[in-house]
C-alpha cells in the first residue's frame, strides 16, 4: 500500500479545511449544492429545441404512429420511459399507436439489427432519446422511407446533421443545460411543450447519476435534490426500501448498477420487465421459493430479485473473461504499453465495457477490447485513464470514435491496430505505475481521531461525485489484537471489522484472504493471541441504511507488534 498526501503542508490547516481546499470548494458552495432545489430553467436555451417543439406541435395527432428507440443503458431506459409516460399520461396518446424498440445487448443508436426493424416498421414519427446524433446516413434512410425524426440527445455532435432531422442536443456550442444527460434533455423537451416534469424528477435524477454527469452543476443538483427527496416511482422505492435519505452514491451503487446489469446482460423478458416497471405498469408474478412454496410478487419486487440474479451471472462472466485476457496480456507482453489493445472475440459485447474497465483497474492503463465488426473492420469498447477520444480523432487511424471522452466505442481496420498502439504509446501523457498510490487528504494518528470528525465528513455523503471525490485519510498506529478482528457474513458478501478508540472500522466486501492478511496469520503460530499495528487508508462514512458512522478501510498494511513476537499470550 502506497499513499501520498495532496499537500505537504497539510498539518498547518484543520483537516476539514484541508478537504475543502483540495476540492477547491467553500462551505458556501457545499451549502448551496446540498440545499438547492429544482428551479425551472428555460428549455429553449438548448440548441434545436424550438424547431423540434414547433415540428412536433405541427405534425401531432392521435393517429400518429410514434416509435421510441430505447438506448441500452440506464440513461436510455429512463429517457424513453418518461417519454412514454408523457405521451400516454399527459397528452393521452393511444398506447396502440406507440412502438417500443428495445436494443439487444449493449448496442447503441441506429445499429444494424434494430435499424432493419425500424425501416420495416409502420412508424410515422421517431422520437429517439440519448443516442443517434451521429448516425446521419441512417437518419436519411429513415426519412427516405417517409419517417420523421426528432432526436433528444447529449452526446457530442461530430457530424453535420441532415436537414430532415430535428436534433435537440445540449452539446452544441452556446447551448445551455450542457451538463444534463439524455433523460435531462427529454425532461426539457416535455417542459418546452408546456408540461411540468416534477413527477418525473426522481427518474430524471437516476438517469443523470447513472450516466456520470457533473453533479457540481447547480441545475442538475436541483433536479437530484428534489427527485431523490420526492420519490414517486415504485421501482426506485423498491430498491431504496432500506435506505434513509438516498443520495447519488446510493443511485450509482444500487439501482443504476442493477439496471445496467439487466440492460446489458439480461434476457429479453428480464429487460421487458424492467421497462414495464419504469413506465409504472402494475401487476403480480408468481415466484417459487427454494422451499417449494409459491408466492405472488409485485412487478417491482420481482424486478429486484431478478436484477440480483442477473448481476451474479454478469459478475461471473466478467470475472472469467478478465482472467482469460490477463493471460493474453502476459503472453503478448502488453504490460509495458500505455494503452492495452487486445482482441476479445470471445467476450460478449454486452460485458465488453465492464471487462475493459476491470483491465483498467488492474493495470492502471487505458484499455481497448476489439472484435470483428464488418468488412474487415474491428470494433470494440474503450475505457481510459485519459481523454482518449481526442487522441483517436487526432491520430487519423480510426474510422469512428463515438461516446464519451474516456468511455466509448471505436472502430478501425485491422492494419491500423499496431499503428494505433505505437501512436498511443507515444502520445498518452500519464504516469504509468505498477501499483496504487492513494492521494490522501490528511494523515492522523489513529488515537487522535474523534467521532465528531467522522460525522463531519460522513454527513457530506450526498456531496461526493466524480468531480468532488470522497476524501481519503491515512490512520496510523491502530493497535488491536487478532482476536479483536472479526470476519463475518453480511447482506452482500463478507466484511472484516474491529473497534479501536471508540470507533468501528470496516473493510467491506472482504475475502477470507484479506482477513488473514489483516491478522498476519502467516507470521505467527496458530493458537496464540498477538497484537497488531495497522496503517490504513480510510474513508469517514455514514451508513446509508442505519445512519451509523464508521471508518471504512480501503487498503491497509498490517504487522505483528514487536513486543508480541517476544511474548505471546497462550489462549488455548
Amino acid at each position: 500500500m502506497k499513499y501520498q498526501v495532496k499537500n505537504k503542508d497539510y498539518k498547518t490547516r484543520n483537516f476539514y479545511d484541508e478537504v475543502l481546499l483540495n476540492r477547491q470548494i467553500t462551505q458556501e458552495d457545499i451549502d448551496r449544492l446540498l440545499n438547492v432545489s429544482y428551479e425551472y430553467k428555460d428549455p429553449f436555451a438548448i440548441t434545436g429545441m424550438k424547431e423540434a417543439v414547433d415540428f412536433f406541435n405541427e405534425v401531432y395527432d392521435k393517429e400518429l404512429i410514434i416509435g421510441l428507440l430505447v438506448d441500452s443503458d440506464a440513461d436510455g431506459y429512463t429517457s424513453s420511459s418518461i417519454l412514454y409516460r408523457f405521451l400516454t399520461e399527459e397528452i393521452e396518446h393511444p398506447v396502440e399507436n406507440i412502438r417500443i424498440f428495445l436494443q439487444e445487448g449493449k448496442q447503441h443508436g441506429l445499429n444494424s439489427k434494430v435499424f432493419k426493424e425500424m425501416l420495416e416498421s409502420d412508424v410515422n414519427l421517431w422520437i429517439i432519446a440519448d443516442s443517434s446524433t451521429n448516425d446521419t446516413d441512417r437518419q436519411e434512410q429513415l426519412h427516405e422511407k417517409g419517417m420523421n425524426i426528432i432526436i433528444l440527445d447529449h452526446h457530442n455532435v461530430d457530424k453535420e446533421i441532415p436537414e430532415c432531422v430535428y436534433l435537440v442536443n445540449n452539446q452544441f456550442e452556446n447551448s445551455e443545460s450542457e451538463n444534463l444527460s439524455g433523460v435531462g434533455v427529454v425532461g426539457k423537451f416535455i417542459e418546452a411543450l408546456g408540461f411540468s416534469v416534477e413527477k418525473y424528477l426522481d427518474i430524471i435524477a437516476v438517469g443523470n447519476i447513472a450516466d456520470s454527469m457533473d453533479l457540481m452543476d447547480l441545475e442538475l443538483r436541483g433536479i437530484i435534490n428534489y427527485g431523490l427527496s420526492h420519490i414517486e416511482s415504485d421501482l426506485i422505492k423498491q430498491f431504496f426500501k432500506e435506505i434513509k435519505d438516498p443520495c447519488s452514491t446510493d443511485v450509482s451503487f444500487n439501482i443504476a448498477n442493477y439496471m445496467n446489469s439487466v440492460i446489458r446482460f439480461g434476457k429479453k423478458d428480464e429487460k421487458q420487465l424492467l421497462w414495464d416497471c419504469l413506465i409504472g405498469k402494475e401487476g403480480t408474478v408468481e415466484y417459487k421459493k427454494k422451499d417449494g412454496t409459491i408466492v405472488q410478487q409485485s412487478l417491482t419486487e420481482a424486478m429486484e430479485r431478478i436484477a440480483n440474479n442477473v448481476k451474479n451471472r454478469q459478475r461471473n462472466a466478467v470475472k472469467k473473461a478478465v482472467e482469460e485476457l490477463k493471460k493474453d496480456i502476459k503472453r503478448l507482453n502488453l504490460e509495458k504499453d500505455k494503452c492495452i489493445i487486445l482482441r476479445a472475440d470471445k467476450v460478449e459485447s454486452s460485458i465488453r465495457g465492464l471487462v475493459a474497465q476491470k483491465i483498467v483497474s488492474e493495470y492502471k492503463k487505458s484499455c481497448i477490447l476489439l472484435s470483428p465488426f464488418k468488412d474487415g473492420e474491428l470494433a470494440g469498447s474503450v475505457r481510459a485513464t485519459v481523454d482518449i477520444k481526442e487522441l483517436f480523432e487526432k491520430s487519423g487511424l480510426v474510422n469512428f470514435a463515438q461516446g464519451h471522452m474516456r468511455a466509448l466505442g471505436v472502430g478501425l481496420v485491422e492494419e491500423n491496430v499496431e499503428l494505433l498502439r505505437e501512436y498511443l504509446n507515444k502520445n498518452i501523457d500519464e504516469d504509468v505505475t505498477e501499483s496504487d498510490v492513494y492521494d490522501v487528504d490528511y494523515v492522523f494518528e489513529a488515537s487522535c481521531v474523534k467521532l465528531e470528525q467522522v460525522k463531519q465528513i460522513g454527513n457530506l455523503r450526498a456531496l461526493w461525485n466524480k468531480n468532488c471525490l470522497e476524501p481519503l485519510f491515512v490512520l496510523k498506529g491502530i493497535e488491536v489484537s487478532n482476536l479483536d478482528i472479526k470476519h463475518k457474513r453480511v447482506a452482500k458478501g463478507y466484511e472484516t471489522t474491529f473497534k479501536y478508540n471508540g470507533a468501528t472500522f470496516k473493510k467491506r466486501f472482504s475475502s477470507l484472504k484479506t482477513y488473514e492478511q489483516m491478522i498476519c496469520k502467516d507470521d505467527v503460530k496458530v493458537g496464540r493471541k498477538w497484537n497488531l499495528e495497522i496503517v490504513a487508508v480510510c474513508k469517514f462514512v455514514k451508513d446509508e441504511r442505519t445512519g451509523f458512522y464508521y471508518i471504512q478501510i480501503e487498503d491497509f498494511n498490517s504487522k505483528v507488534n514487536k513486543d508480541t513476537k517476544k511474548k505471546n499470550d497462550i489462549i488455548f
Side-chain angles (χ1 to χ4, degrees):
M1 180 192 77
K2 298 179 181 179
Y3 66 87
Q4 58 187 14
V5 186
K6 292 181 179 181
N7 293 316
K8 293 182 179 180
D9 63 343
Y10 71 96
K11 289 185 178 179
T12 64
R13 289 177 291 275
N14 170 277
F15 94 104
Y16 186 79
D17 293 337
E18 184 69 10
V19 168
L20 269 57
L21 175 67
N22 289 338
R23 284 148 191 80
Q24 297 184 320
I25 57 174
T26 65
Q27 187 60 49
E28 290 74 19
D29 294 330
I30 293 173
D31 293 340
R32 192 179 303 115
L33 285 163
L34 297 186
N35 295 303
V36 65
S37 190
Y38 175 70
E39 294 182 5
Y40 177 86
K41 189 174 179 181
D42 184 12
F44 291 100
I46 298 179
T47 302
M49 185 67 79
K50 184 179 186 306
E51 293 80 0
V53 167
D54 288 347
F55 177 73
F56 182 84
N57 286 330
E58 176 188 337
V59 302
Y60 178 75
D61 66 57
K62 293 192 183 298
E63 299 302 314
L64 198 66
I65 306 298
I66 298 177
L68 303 181
L69 174 62
V70 184
D71 203 51
S72 56
D73 59 18
D75 190 28
Y77 268 62
T78 53
S79 298
S80 293
S81 70
I82 68 168
L83 259 177
Y84 179 91
R85 289 181 59 194
F86 163 72
L87 292 170
T88 57
E89 296 172 11
E90 307 304 332
I91 63 176
E92 298 181 344
H93 195 74
V95 172
E96 62 269 19
N97 288 344
I98 301 176
R99 308 288 183 260
I100 307 299
F101 289 75
L102 300 180
Q103 300 266 23
E104 289 188 15
K106 198 179 179 296
Q107 290 82 16
H108 293 285
L110 304 178
N111 67 80
S112 297
K113 184 166 186 177
V114 76
F115 182 67
K116 182 180 179 182
E117 296 173 5
M118 293 169 71
L119 280 175
E120 296 172 352
S121 73
D122 60 349
V123 169
N124 308 127
L125 172 65
W126 288 100
I127 307 180
I128 302 175
D130 189 40
S131 76
S132 306
T133 286
N134 297 303
D135 295 331
T136 53
D137 290 344
R138 288 179 171 175
Q139 292 165 11
E140 291 180 326
Q141 290 180 54
L142 289 173
H143 188 258
E144 289 169 2
K145 283 279 190 177
M147 302 174 182
N148 293 309
I149 309 161
I150 294 174
I151 296 176
L152 310 172
D153 199 7
H154 74 116
H155 293 93
N156 291 339
V157 184
D158 299 327
K159 296 183 179 180
E160 186 175 345
I161 306 303
E163 291 184 4
C164 61
V165 174
Y166 293 87
L167 173 63
V168 181
N169 192 304
N170 58 356
Q171 298 307 306
F172 280 109
E173 190 175 356
N174 300 322
S175 184
E176 296 291 325
S177 301
E178 68 275 11
N179 289 312
L180 298 184
S181 70
V183 70
V185 175
V186 171
K188 289 293 183 182
F189 180 68
I190 293 171
E191 285 186 323
L193 288 168
F195 296 85
S196 170
V197 295
E198 283 194 4
K199 71 178 185 179
Y200 307 127
L201 288 177
D202 54 348
I203 296 289
I204 294 174
V206 167
N208 274 279
I209 295 166
D211 224 40
S212 300
M213 305 310 293
D214 183 3
L215 305 192
M216 303 303 282
D217 180 88
L218 278 177
E219 180 185 17
L220 181 50
R221 268 290 174 173
I223 291 171
I224 290 168
N225 291 348
Y226 185 94
L228 296 186
S229 61
H230 296 78
I231 295 175
E232 296 194 19
S233 165
D234 288 339
L235 180 66
I236 301 176
K237 288 178 181 177
Q238 180 67 34
F239 276 88
F240 285 170
K241 62 183 183 296
E242 296 178 358
I243 297 177
K244 297 180 178 180
D245 302 321
C247 68
S248 60
T249 301
D250 303 313
V251 172
S252 297
F253 288 97
N254 191 297
I255 185 169
N257 193 7
Y258 286 97
M259 283 177 63
N260 279 325
S261 292
V262 173
I263 294 164
R264 293 167 177 161
F265 205 68
K267 300 172 185 175
K268 186 175 181 179
D269 61 323
E270 293 166 337
K271 295 180 184 183
Q272 184 63 52
L273 179 59
L274 175 60
W275 172 259
D276 290 342
C277 289
L278 281 168
I279 64 173
K281 186 176 180 179
E282 296 181 349
T284 60
V285 296
E286 285 190 352
Y287 168 56
K288 188 175 182 180
K289 300 171 71 174
K290 290 182 178 179
D291 62 6
T293 59
I294 296 176
V295 297
Q296 294 290 325
Q297 287 189 320
S298 69
L299 296 187
T300 54
E301 288 172 333
M303 188 70 258
E304 184 184 30
R305 170 177 54 81
I306 289 169
N308 273 285
N309 294 339
V310 175
K311 186 68 179 175
N312 287 332
R313 296 202 310 260
Q314 182 190 55
R315 187 182 294 115
N316 291 335
V318 169
K319 182 179 179 180
K320 181 179 179 181
V322 169
E323 289 306 312
E324 289 301 315
L325 291 178
K326 283 170 66 177
K327 294 176 185 176
D328 291 341
I329 291 170
K330 185 175 182 179
R331 177 175 57 83
L332 298 170
N333 193 27
L334 300 181
E335 297 101 326
K336 62 180 178 17
D337 289 338
K338 291 185 178 180
C339 179
I340 295 173
I341 304 177
L342 270 175
R343 287 290 293 265
D345 298 15
K346 295 181 180 179
V347 179
E348 292 185 50
S349 61
S350 61
I351 60 170
R352 203 169 287 149
L354 291 174
V355 173
Q357 187 58 55
K358 290 288 185 182
I359 298 294
V360 171
S361 300
E362 178 91 10
Y363 293 91
K364 314 307 173 208
K365 301 177 182 184
S366 302
C367 177
I368 306 172
L369 299 182
L370 298 169
S371 65
F373 183 45
K374 61 180 181 180
D375 302 327
E377 188 179 23
L378 300 176
S381 295
V382 182
R383 296 296 181 269
T385 59
V386 297
D387 291 346
I388 203 167
K389 185 181 180 185
E390 186 176 342
L391 290 175
F392 287 151
E393 292 167 348
K394 290 179 179 179
S395 73
L397 295 169
V398 303
N399 294 344
F400 66 84
Q402 296 179 355
H404 302 287
M405 284 295 177
R406 300 190 180 194
L408 64 155
V410 69
L412 71 164
V413 295
E414 190 164 4
E415 298 79 55
N416 284 351
V417 171
E418 289 306 315
L419 293 174
L420 182 63
R421 192 191 312 277
E422 293 174 11
Y423 178 86
L424 294 176
N425 278 334
K426 181 178 179 181
N427 289 281
I428 288 180
D429 182 18
E430 64 177 350
D431 180 23
V432 181
T433 58
E434 295 181 357
S435 61
D436 286 321
V437 177
Y438 294 96
D439 285 324
V440 304
D441 291 271
Y442 216 88
V443 179
F444 294 91
E445 287 296 328
S447 59
C448 297
V449 174
K450 297 178 173 58
L451 178 60
E452 287 307 311
Q453 293 171 313
V454 178
K455 287 183 176 180
Q456 203 170 5
I457 299 299
N459 286 334
L460 296 179
R461 66 186 301 269
L463 178 66
W464 314 128
N465 63 88
K466 69 172 186 178
N467 293 318
C468 185
L469 296 176
E470 189 172 2
L472 289 173
F473 307 104
V474 169
L475 273 60
K476 301 170 68 175
I478 304 169
E479 296 181 346
V480 291
S481 83
N482 62 304
L483 299 181
D484 295 326
I485 301 176
K486 310 299 181 185
H487 184 64
K488 61 181 181 180
R489 186 172 185 83
V490 291
K492 294 183 179 181
Y494 288 83
E495 66 181 23
T496 298
T497 66
F498 61 85
K499 290 188 176 182
Y500 173 76
N501 196 33
T504 297
F505 287 71
K506 291 185 183 182
K507 181 76 173 77
R508 300 182 68 187
F509 309 109
S510 173
S511 65
L512 180 61
K513 181 179 178 180
T514 300
Y515 163 69
E516 291 176 345
Q517 288 172 341
M518 188 177 290
I519 66 170
C520 299
K521 181 182 177 183
D522 293 338
D523 294 344
V524 294
K525 296 179 180 178
V526 175
R528 294 177 179 269
K529 173 184 176 181
W530 56 90
N531 295 323
L532 300 162
E533 186 174 328
I534 299 173
V535 177
V537 174
C538 303
K539 294 178 179 178
F540 294 171
V541 173
K542 180 180 180 182
D543 188 275
E544 68 273 17
R545 289 173 169 79
T546 65
F548 178 75
Y549 297 90
Y550 66 93
I551 298 173
Q552 180 172 301
I553 298 175
E554 298 297 305
D555 204 348
F556 64 90
N557 285 334
S558 185
K559 65 179 182 179
V560 179
N561 187 289
K562 292 181 179 179
D563 293 335
T564 303
K565 287 186 176 180
K566 294 178 182 177
K567 182 179 179 180
N568 286 314
D569 298 319
I570 305 296
I571 59 170
F572 60 88

